Amino acid sequence: MTEASTPVITPELVAEHGLKPDEYQRLLEIMGREPSPTELGIFSVMWSEHCSYKSSRYWLKTLPVTGPRVIQGPGENAGVVDLGDGWAAVFKMESHNHPSHIEPYQGAATGVGGIMRDVFTMGARPVANLNALRFGAPDHAKTRHLVSGVVAGIGGYGNCVGVPTVGGETNFDKGYNNNILVNAMCVGLARTDKIFYSAAKGVGLPVVYVGSKTGRDGIHGATMASAEFDENSDEKRPTVQVGDPFTEKLLIEACLELMASDAIIAIQDMGAAGLTSSTAEMADKGGVGIELDLDKVPQREDGMTAYEMMLSESQERMLMVLRPGSEAAAEAVFHKWGLDFSIIGRTTDTGRMIVTHHGVVEADIPVATLADSAPLYQRPYVPTPARKALLPQWIAAPAGGMLETLETMMGAHQLCSRRWIYEQYDHMVMGDTIQRPGGDAAVVRVHGTAKGIAATCDVTPRYVAADPAMGTKQAVVETWRNLIAVGADPLAITDNLNFASPERPEVMGQFVGAIEGMGEACRALDYPVVSGNVSLYNETNGVGIPPTPAIGGVGLVPDVSLTASFALKREGELLIVIGAEQGWLGQSLYQEIIAGGLDGAPPPIDLGEEIKAGRLVRSLIRESGIDTVHDCSDGGLLVAVAEMALAGDIGVELFSYEGRLPEHAVWFGEDQGRYVISAEPSRAERIIERAKLLALPARIVGRTGGDALGKPGESELPLAQLRAAHEGWLPRYMS
């Protein structure tokens, strides 16, 4: 498209921009005239689902977003929580699902780059990256290619920038065959008196473009991310952005250097919708107008039009509003780091966004209308039908023994080690990583202090599909439990809500249920939502993904010398399971892998019991020096014990179960709210007594020692044999 051949605004062109007829009519009423092509493009991205949250805003407003530790909740580039002593954690999670399915390396890489920019835009130095990945079935034709590209993209970008990738999760399921999910999370550290915001307050202030030059990559990226795929989705490859991690590293250092001065009034990264969204959001939050001269935008391609520049999603770019008189000093900083710096506009008192190119006004739009006039839908929804709770005896016992069944389960793709993935990521760069990938939560030291930040991300989509409210409640609680298990105080969450088309009532019903479950858990746990992202239309030809509301949790470790990890550390200790045992096999991995299908209701969550158990475990870590803790989740108790044994390379002699539940339900049931603790025999009984005083069930399940898992009446399972099964699947698959 060029200005020389300005297209006529036709219904077909409007549809190509993702606007429905009634939405275009709304646009005409706002403008009082037909828009220019550039204005049409601007409205199309600002009103896209990705930027406007038009199908989700109504429900998101019901979530708890405040708390004593919250400095900044939703509405800025990232959430901010107080860590004490002048430190703050800045964090957010975002999706790059559609781009990663089309072009896995660049899609994943630019997802990592984009989420880091959201964090350092707030004045924080990124200190930890995490990710939540969902791929299709292992036997699907594209899965291996997509895994390879996404993992390489995450590692290639994060490793080059020099920010450790410390945690995450990866799963395979046929529900993601045609729409993979790549959710990236970043945590940064800032001083509480140097947090930066995006409101451009003041008139006559210079609007400055810094970073990389603008190209044609990523045009319509936000619109593409707001639409479902079809058989021609590969043709959307030009909408995928191209990243440069080395430039991002320079941009981080230049921005943080300038942030040490008082030059910056407002700052915003150019993410989804690029120059359009950053300009509109900064001006709207500051209550000002803004004038842009696109002739001054640094460009890496010839003949770019106003439409292309306003919609480009080229990476590694930021927009700033500076204090008058600071321009020369700011320019010197960015030139020192080899980055572009250009004054491309001014704030005004007109309340309008006016965009000129070659002396021609290409867009003239009221800022407040552009930022706040996107449709707000309360879409019709149908609640997900309740599933029947299954009694454990209704699900058949395995043909072999418990240890034989354990080996089968831990060698399956659902439970196999993800070491092949996380060993491609640098998790020790910066030198502050205390706990690495593979455990319950990562722990990163607040540099130069005794404090630590704990971070994790979790969701169990099979639970959410069966019961969206209970499944999402479980996802929130799972992050809380993982933070507790390393000795942290859970502070707040970010989320990435991945769903199919909200225009289908059953999908909207899943979304509504998920929000209700998330809100209930966050309120009970005093664990507010401070940032997040909604990714809808994750479907192809009407076939959607399983509902996947990924939750990222962040906690504070007051003293990193008082933490726990899940690896067994000493022989002769007793293993204690704390929490109620019901033998819940509905929607369990035992049911999926061994019994051959998924059925029934997911395990219920008792928030009161979760709080009691969590507080007990955290006090044992801090007051009693317990240093070995693991929560029970996927696969149940025996899988948790096996993971502890493999991590510490110490065997376990399991004790006989003498209760009334079927044995396979005891060992593989996915009852919630449980932790496994390793303690010296002299302390084990005292721990059980403390649990009983809180009316928490607790029992001893085994003793550490040797080089195998043993169980009365069964042949030993050598750790070497179990390790070969557990760590062998993924390397074999990827080879």
Side-chain angles (χ1 to χ4, degrees), residues 93-215:
M93 184 187 282
E94 272 210 344
S95 62
H96 235 218
N97 303 334
H98 284 52
S100 299
H101 189 85
I102 297 167
E103 177 48 64
Y105 184 95
Q106 289 296 349
T110 52
V112 173
I115 198 63
M116 284 196 284
R117 284 195 300 282
D118 281 337
V119 165
F120 73 76
T121 296
M122 302 290 293
R125 178 174 292 281
V127 297
N129 287 330
L130 300 91
N131 53 75
L133 312 178
R134 297 290 187 287
F135 298 102
D139 59 1
H140 187 261
K142 282 190 172 182
T143 298
R144 190 180 287 104
H145 161 72
L146 291 168
V147 173
S148 178
V150 166
V151 172
I154 291 169
Y157 205 101
N159 296 354
C160 291
V161 174
V163 176
T165 299
V166 297
E169 57 173 358
T170 302
N171 292 108
F172 300 87
D173 186 276
K174 65 181 180 181
Y176 305 98
N177 279 354
N178 297 308
N179 292 84
I180 67 168
L181 302 184
V182 175
N183 296 171
M185 178 176 168
C186 182
V187 184
L189 275 172
R191 299 299 294 177
T192 53
D193 60 351
K194 296 295 283 185
I195 294 168
F196 289 80
Y197 299 95
S198 57
K201 295 180 179 178
V203 173
L205 305 175
V207 177
V208 177
Y209 172 120
V210 300
S212 288
K213 290 179 169 58
T214 294

Side-chain angles (χ1 to χ4, degrees), residues 192-396:
T192 53
D193 60 351
K194 296 295 283 185
I195 294 168
F196 289 80
Y197 299 95
S198 57
K201 295 180 179 178
V203 173
L205 305 175
V207 177
V208 177
Y209 172 120
V210 300
S212 288
K213 290 179 169 58
T214 294
R216 291 187 171 95
D217 56 314
I219 294 173
H220 288 303
T223 308
M224 180 267 289
S226 307
E228 67 173 281
F229 281 166
D230 56 26
E231 61 277 358
N232 300 315
S233 59
D234 283 351
E235 295 174 8
K236 297 180 180 179
R237 186 167 280 111
T239 63
V240 179
Q241 308 89 337
V242 178
D244 180 351
F246 299 105
T247 299
E248 179 107 339
K249 172 63 174 173
L250 300 175
L251 190 59
I252 292 172
E253 300 304 331
C255 287
L256 292 178
E257 180 175 334
L258 189 60
M259 285 167 167
S261 71
D262 65 350
I264 300 173
I265 292 175
I267 182 169
Q268 175 86 25
D269 86 296
M270 292 191 225
L275 191 52
T276 288
S277 64
S278 55
T279 304
E281 289 169 11
M282 292 176 78
D284 178 59
K285 290 175 183 176
V288 298
I290 200 161
E291 293 181 354
L292 298 180
D293 181 356
L294 298 186
D295 296 347
K296 297 179 179 177
V297 170
Q299 301 162 54
R300 69 165 183 257
E301 298 186 45
D302 294 332
M304 290 194 71
T305 65
Y307 179 99
E308 290 170 331
M309 279 185 274
M310 291 302 292
L311 271 65
S312 168
E313 294 183 14
S314 293
Q315 299 291 285
E316 294 87 40
R317 303 180 300 160
M318 310 284 279
L319 201 65
M320 298 178 175
V321 173
L322 300 181
R323 297 189 190 281
S326 66
E327 297 94 330
E331 183 173 17
V333 169
F334 281 89
H335 284 175
K336 182 185 82 172
W337 290 98
L339 297 167
D340 278 295
F341 177 101
S342 180
I343 299 171
I344 66 169
R346 298 271 169 186
T347 60
T348 69
D349 61 2
T350 66
R352 303 187 73 81
M353 177 200 286
I354 299 175
V355 179
T356 61
H357 188 218
H358 299 331
V360 176
V361 175
E362 294 291 340
D364 183 348
I365 304 171
V367 167
T369 300
L370 177 62
D372 301 324
S373 66
L376 176 59
Y377 295 126
Q378 283 183 252
R379 296 193 183 277
Y381 68 92
V382 175
T384 303
R387 301 284 189 102
K388 183 178 181 179
L390 302 181
L391 295 178
Q393 55 267 32
W394 294 352
I395 298 174

Side-chain angles (χ1 to χ4, degrees), residues 480-481 484-485 487-490 523-526 578 607-623 673 675 677 690 694 696:
W480 191 86
R481 213 182 292 136
I484 290 285
D489 299 317
R523 280 185 284 270
L525 300 172
D526 194 18
I578 293 175
L607 292 167
E609 293 295 294
E610 291 281 359
I611 292 168
K612 286 196 300 184
R615 287 175 177 169
L616 171 61
V617 169
R618 185 173 53 195
S619 70
L620 289 172
I621 293 169
R622 293 185 185 171
E623 300 164 18
Y675 301 82
I677 294 173
R690 284 188 64 178
L694 296 169
L696 281 169

